[in-house]
Amino acid sequence: MITTTDLTKVYRTGERDITALDGVNLHVPEGEVYGVIGQSGAGKSSLIRCVNLLERPTSGTVTVDGADLTALARRGSRTAPARRPTAELRAARSRIGMVFQHFNLLSSRTVQGNVELPLEILGLDRRERAAKARELLDLVGLADKARVHPARLSGGQKQRVGIARALAGDPKVLLSDEATSALDPETTRSVLQLLRDLNKQLGLTVLLITHEMDVVKAVCDSAALMSNGRITESGTLTDLLATPGSELARELFPVGGEPTGEDRTVVDVTFHGGTATEPVISQLSRTYDIDISILGAAMDTIGGRQVGRMRIELPGPFEDNVVPIGYLRQQGLQAEVVTAPTAKGAPVPTLAKEGAE
């Protein structure tokens, strides 16, 4: 549904060039909620603004729902120069909704009036606008606030108005730029649930920009990690959790804990699917008659399935624990060796470091 290829954005300030996007390749499948996460300055907001061409990319392509927006932006005529949106580009962008962090509501208009604004631009008459706006407000749970002005709304209600307004053009794609970062945790959960409900009810593809891992865990099917203008890692959450050495997996389910002694092997174990509810660790302890220490654990539910990670400590060097680690992998778990002194003080084998089977 959304694809960027070698996308680059360079901002020129005086004699200095600042590269915000550095060859970004991203693919968001149709019907998914896809999160892009990274620290401030990673390039997330530049990316999402280039997706709907609020910012013109310096190079590369952006394709949304089969339309190459960058090609449409380059087309011009005497009446519509290339630096201004063409009719084709405007039509393509009308199928992309945008939700902003700070709501951007007009204080002089009522809630219904704010939702009607894009409908006015689309040329609907007064009766059509009113009917459509009421329908959208009912969809986001604000039918009773139609005649209220934004100043009388809570932050969460304002964001729901922003979402209703973004849906006015019946978009196939919804872009969310840090839409919940100004909200309290409870309100954040309700807005994220609304986005997920809209994704399912309307078949919307949602591209969500955030710096909060909890947002990704709560609502996303897939995610990408951005750093210094580049995508460093991407995939479905399930695949990421099963990938040895995944930075996103570590951030989504952080586990801490240091070895309690020098002669110990520390292993990060990832549970997903049916294994998340099985007593695998206790079975391991009984099967091999070893004492296992749990140094840290993080469990959560993603897509209705329990997923989690656990850091365990096994007694002895790596050579003494090859078979127990193999047992964990045979049970369908991802087992990644974090710390493992060897009997002779040699480096840990590459196989153990990578957590491969």
Side-chain angles (χ1 to χ4, degrees), residues 214-235:
D214 285 345
V215 170
V216 174
K217 284 196 290 186
V219 74
C220 293
D221 301 298
S222 301
L225 180 65
M226 281 199 79
S227 178
N228 297 320
R230 298 180 180 180
I231 299 289
T232 60
E233 190 178 358
S234 64

Side-chain angles (χ1 to χ4, degrees), residues 180-192 212 214-215 218:
T180 60
S181 63
L183 306 177
D184 62 75
E186 183 177 352
T187 305
T188 291
R189 285 191 291 271
S190 70
V191 170
L192 291 176
E212 300 172 274
D214 285 345
V215 170

